[in-house]
Amino acid sequence: GKPAVLLCDRGLMDGSAYMKEEDWNKLMQKREISCVSELREGRYNAVFHLVTAAEGAEEYYTLENNAVRTESPELAKSLDSMTLNAWVGHPSLKIFDNSTDFETKMQRVVEETARLVGLPTHLQKVTTKFLLKKEPDLSAFPKEVAYQIFDVEKVYLYEENEDDGCQENVLKEYSFIRKRTSIRKSGEESGSVYGWTSVQKMKDGQRIEKKRIITKREY
């Protein structure tokens, strides 16, 4: 009955990176899965992608410390990119590159994990969105650029500021639910997933955020 976090070394979408698209689609049909969002954000609250050392930390990439690792640096980078693309579309896809040393990289993972489970953290969340002047021509996208199309509905349940009677040490608090509907390239809807988020902005600068997957009925 105690709160727990389940960490998976691999996720279901990883398999699509090692299969031909037609084989993956056949597997989806066999399992009667109509939309990949069921396997992606419908199953995992977050996805952490730790970029291979072969990309940005080449001097530390070696086969000597892992008996089952056989990939050359070039192949490792290719597989890393395909695996990352398999998860594009998850709202909490976090990428940890090799811009820092390994210990700092792991600390970034710990900080992000703390934020996701609602523990106090000074980790700043930066979300970038763009307002386009016109609808983009998706056919012009390079083949190596992965993208997903969604229709998002967000409903705010409440919002309270310090003057509204927030809890002690809380500057602002709000909560919302979200419905994300995947859109096929043909324009058809292929399925929806649902989530709940609660955010507290503390007086000491910390941000406490809680998320969980909810059902259609709860939504």
Side-chain angles (χ1 to χ4, degrees):
K2 295 182 179 180
V5 177
L6 178 62
L7 301 177
C8 303
D9 184 53
R10 282 287 190 176
L12 290 177
M13 290 302 298
D14 286 346
S16 65
Y18 296 85
M19 300 172 65
K20 294 181 180 179
E21 184 176 0
E22 54 268 30
D23 292 335
W24 174 254
N25 291 335
K26 288 179 181 178
L27 178 61
M28 294 275 288
Q29 292 174 1
K30 184 178 180 179
R31 296 294 183 179
E32 299 182 347
I33 299 171
S34 60
C35 180
V36 294
S37 61
E38 298 176 30
L39 304 181
R40 196 175 52 213
E41 57 267 37
R43 188 179 179 90
Y44 305 98
N45 286 289
V47 178
F48 288 0
H49 181 83
L50 278 64
V51 176
T52 174
E55 183 70 64
E58 293 82 354
E59 64 272 26
Y60 297 105
Y61 183 79
T62 177
L63 306 181
E64 296 178 1
N65 60 357
N66 192 330
V68 299
R69 182 184 295 154
T70 60
E71 301 90 354
S72 65
E74 292 73 20
L75 180 57
K77 288 191 287 187
S78 176
L79 291 173
D80 186 85
S81 177
M82 289 190 293
T83 302
L84 174 58
N85 285 341
W87 293 97
V88 168
H90 195 293
S92 293
L93 171 60
K94 312 298 180 182
I95 304 172
F96 299 90
D97 60 18
N98 296 301
S99 58
T100 62
D101 60 41
F102 184 74
E103 291 300 324
T104 306
K105 183 178 182 180
M106 291 299 99
Q107 185 58 40
R108 287 154 57 200
V109 173
V110 171
E111 285 283 329
E112 187 61 42
T113 303
R115 188 187 68 79
L116 284 167
V117 299
L119 294 176
T121 174
H122 288 284
L123 182 68
Q124 294 297 313
K125 179 181 179 182
V126 179
T127 301
T128 304
K129 298 180 180 180
F130 299 91
L131 179 63
L132 305 181
K133 292 182 178 179
K134 61 180 181 179
E135 186 174 347
D137 179 9
L138 298 180
S139 64
F141 272 45
K143 290 183 178 181
E144 64 272 16
V145 176
Y147 65 88
Q148 297 285 332
I149 305 173
F150 299 98
D151 182 69
V152 179
E153 177 181 88
K154 184 181 289 188
V155 180
Y156 281 83
L157 305 177
Y158 69 87
E159 180 176 349
E160 293 181 347
N161 295 308
E162 184 179 15
D163 296 335
D164 299 326
C166 271
Q167 299 178 38
E168 186 178 357
N169 298 323
V170 177
L171 278 177
K172 186 176 183 180
E173 181 177 5
Y174 60 91
S175 177
F176 61 85
I177 52 177
R178 180 173 59 187
K179 172 184 176 182
R180 283 167 53 98
T181 302
S182 297
I183 309 296
R184 294 192 176 97
K185 294 181 180 180
S186 62
E188 300 175 344
E189 295 184 358
S190 63
S192 300
V193 292
Y194 308 86
W196 167 86
T197 299
S198 174
V199 179
Q200 288 181 322
K201 294 183 178 180
M202 314 302 287
K203 292 182 180 180
D204 61 2
Q206 293 181 340
R207 175 189 173 101
I208 300 176
E209 184 173 306
K210 299 177 183 178
K211 291 176 176 282
R212 70 179 176 92
I213 298 169
I214 61 176
T215 65
K216 181 179 180 180
R217 180 185 178 91
E218 287 179 295
Y219 183 81

